[in-house]
Amino acid sequence: MPMQGCYINLERSTDRRAAMDAQLHRLGLTGVRRQVAIDAQALTTGSASITPGEHACFLSHTEAITRASPGEALLVLEDDAQLSEALPAVLRSGVLAQLEAEGCDIAFLECQPITTTQNLLALWHSLQRRLPPQGSGAPRHALTGIDFIDARTLYNWGAVAYLVTPKGLRVLPALLQEALASGPAQPYDLTLGSFLRDGRLQGVVLSPFLATPASGSHADSTLGSPSESAAHDALGGALRRLFFAGPLEGLDAQAAAWRHAPLTDDPQLRLLADLMAQLFVLTARDHAAR
């Protein structure tokens, strides 16, 4: 199945543009074009429910989808996406045709998962199944395959990298215009999550992740969301990268300041967190032993 692609980039973000162009050239994804992002500074009106940066992001993704050719799958990237070396091979492997055959509208190359034990175990088991064996000397991107995980229960947020199938290109524009007409009430990625959970959008998350936000990219984000704390950014970003089919260098350092931080004074909540962590390890170990 043919594929088109774009990455969304502000005119003033020249460093990110250069980095994305170099990465796409290295991976042979030269058909992925740059799309100029809508700048929040140019917006005259916006919803009070979301920040101007979030509104501009929503409009930029909507424009990418509505401008796409309806007969080809569309790869959408944000300009802080770090792509796995495995991505070109996966795209050539027939995964696009498989997504279309299974009735998918959208496939996320990564996301912030809803952190239930069930979801994290699904991602962990996928890693163990698809990554090369430890000690083999093979790089993490030498995957044995890719898994499709139902996005309705796994996907929380994230629009760094995703595929929209031709079916999705017929469905998604009207849904996005409907959301824009009513505000939008939520940022773009949370809106996608709502569509997935109410059944109006059919989607999967590809695992292991074939993309991840570039380390530290949240620090210079243009979204301006006041709701995200430093701890949430650091821990959430580290969690996403842990499931990435690519290098993990710097991951320990990224999470170090928060990994054992006393995030609460409630002794019972801290005990609950410790119990959950230990039980997760036992469950993952027991599953691997079967």
Side-chain angles (χ1 to χ4, degrees):
M1 179 186 294
M3 188 197 76
Q4 59 198 308
C6 68
Y7 72 90
I8 298 170
N9 170 252
L10 285 166
E11 285 284 12
R12 51 193 161 91
S13 297
T14 55
D15 289 348
R16 287 191 176 194
R17 177 181 183 179
M20 280 299 297
D21 285 344
Q23 178 177 210
L24 292 168
H25 179 76
R26 187 183 75 252
L27 294 177
L29 299 174
T30 53
V32 178
R33 60 179 174 80
R34 174 179 178 256
Q35 176 175 310
V36 178
I38 295 171
D39 198 324
Q41 297 177 1
L43 294 180
T44 55
T45 59
S47 167
S49 301
I50 61 176
T51 69
E54 289 168 340
H55 192 194
C57 178
F58 200 122
L59 292 170
S60 296
H61 280 269
T62 300
E63 184 176 65
I65 289 166
T66 56
R67 288 176 55 184
S69 172
E72 299 179 357
L74 172 68
L75 173 65
V76 181
L77 305 172
E78 293 184 340
D79 63 2
D80 63 336
Q82 179 181 347
L83 304 177
S84 170
E85 300 285 337
L87 178 59
V90 170
L91 293 175
R92 293 191 300 267
S93 69
V95 69
L96 297 176
Q98 185 179 352
L99 289 169
E100 184 79 353
E102 295 190 9
C104 286
D105 299 314
I106 192 167
F108 297 94
L109 305 192
E110 74 91 44
C111 72
Q112 178 67 45
I114 298 172
T115 52
T116 63
T117 298
Q118 181 179 3
N119 283 340
L120 295 181
L121 282 172
L123 290 170
W124 183 256
H125 293 154
S126 177
L127 279 186
Q128 308 313 302
R129 190 164 51 244
R130 299 303 187 182
L131 292 184
Q134 291 189 33
S136 67
R140 279 174 65 89
H141 64 259
L143 302 179
T144 63
I146 202 80
D147 293 319
F148 292 3
I149 303 179
D150 191 344
R152 286 176 300 175
T153 54
L154 180 74
Y155 178 85
N156 199 353
W157 69 75
V160 166
Y162 58 95
L163 289 159
V164 186
T165 66
K167 175 175 176 285
L169 289 174
R170 295 190 295 271
V171 171
L172 196 49
L175 293 177
L176 295 176
Q177 292 299 333
E178 176 188 321
L180 283 167
S182 61
Q186 299 182 102
Y188 177 72
D189 50 356
L190 296 184
T191 300
L192 293 180
S194 296
F195 293 154
L196 290 164
R197 284 183 280 280
D198 68 18
R200 292 196 287 174
L201 197 65
Q202 306 302 313
V204 297
V205 178
L206 302 185
S207 176
F209 292 171
L210 298 169
T212 191
S215 296
S217 61
H218 64 274
D220 61 352
S221 171
T222 60
L223 297 185
S225 173
S227 62
E228 294 183 357
S229 68
H232 205 283
D233 284 332
L235 293 172
L239 182 70
R240 291 159 84 166
R241 182 169 286 269
L242 181 64
F243 297 113
F244 175 52
L248 300 183
E249 287 82 358
L251 186 59
D252 283 338
Q254 178 181 343
W258 301 103
R259 192 171 177 184
H260 301 294
L263 300 178
T264 176
D265 294 327
D266 185 332
Q268 293 186 13
L269 184 56
R270 292 178 69 176
L271 176 60
L272 175 61
D274 290 341
L275 293 173
M276 289 175 65
Q278 295 297 86
L279 285 168
F280 180 87
V281 171
L282 290 174
T283 304
R285 188 189 66 188
D286 291 346
H287 185 276
R290 293 173 188 170

